[in-house]
Amino acid sequence: MTVSFILNGEDVSAEAEAGERLSSLLSSRFGLRGARGDCLSGLCGRCIVLLGGKPVNSCLVPAFRVQGAEIVTIEGFGRTDDYRDIMAGFRKAGFEPCGFCDSARVLVASAIMEEDPRPDDSLIVERMSAISCRCTQPSALIAGVRAAAEIRERRVFGHAGA
C-alpha cells in the first residue's frame, strides 16, 4: 500500500508492506537511521520520532498509521533553531547524552518544551523515562532541559523568565 505523509517538512509517499513498522519504513525507504528500531517493543526509546509533535516509539507504529500525518526525525529536527537551543542548553548544563539515547533525548526535550515552556522537574523526569539509558543521572537531564528552555525562551521572546 502507498502511504503519504509529511516527513521533515516535505510531502512524501512510500510503498509500505503489511505489518511494516514506521522505524523500518524511515530507514529502508528514506535512509533515515536516527530512529533506530532495535528492540521492536517500545522499551528502549532509541526509535523515538515526533508524530504530530508528540514523541512516539516508531518501532511500535504501523506504517499505515502515518497516512496524512507529520513526522519529524532527528535528521529533520537537527536543522532547526530549537535543536540548536537544546544542544546549547545540554552543553551549558554539562549534559552529554550518549550515542544510544542522544537523538531520543533531544526530541523528547523538544516535546517537553512545547508542552510547557518552563517545565518542572517531575515533568522532565516523567517524559525522559520513556528512554531506557543509564548514561545520565536525572539531575543532569533536568539541568539540561531547563538550560535549553531558558535559551529557547531568550531566543523566542527576547528574555529569560524568572
Side-chain angles (χ1 to χ4, degrees):
M1 97 184 80
T2 301
V3 180
S4 299
F5 56 100
I6 301 167
L7 177 60
N8 296 328
E10 296 183 29
D11 291 327
V12 298
S13 293
E15 288 298 316
E17 301 295 323
E20 186 171 12
R21 298 170 193 224
L22 177 58
S23 57
S24 172
L25 183 77
L26 293 172
S27 176
S28 65
R29 306 307 187 295
F30 299 100
L32 300 173
R33 306 245 187 302
R36 299 172 294 269
D38 293 343
C39 75
L40 299 177
S41 62
L43 295 176
C44 72
R46 283 185 69 156
C47 67
I48 289 177
V49 298
L50 299 177
L51 172 60
K54 304 289 185 203
V56 298
N57 293 79
S58 64
C59 76
L60 296 179
V61 177
F64 73 88
R65 291 269 187 209
V66 301
Q67 178 69 34
E70 182 174 2
I71 305 292
V72 177
T73 66
I74 193 63
E75 292 89 350
F77 189 75
R79 298 186 300 252
T80 67
D81 288 336
D82 285 344
Y83 173 82
R84 287 182 281 285
D85 293 346
I86 291 167
M87 296 309 295
F90 284 5
R91 281 190 300 277
K92 180 180 177 184
F95 171 49
E96 293 186 40
C98 69
F100 179 86
C101 70
D102 53 352
S103 61
R105 297 271 189 220
V106 168
L107 291 172
V108 171
S110 172
I112 290 168
M113 293 186 304
E114 284 299 315
E115 182 177 343
D116 185 344
R118 294 183 187 169
D120 63 26
D121 296 0
S122 62
L123 178 64
I124 296 167
V125 170
E126 177 187 335
R127 297 296 186 265
M128 288 289 181
S129 70
I131 305 162
S132 294
C133 186
R134 297 181 190 166
C135 73
T136 306
Q137 295 295 321
S139 59
L141 287 170
I142 291 166
V145 174
R146 284 181 170 249
E150 289 172 10
I151 291 168
R152 181 175 183 245
E153 186 173 20
R154 276 195 306 273
R155 178 180 55 83
V156 172
F157 300 109
H159 61 71

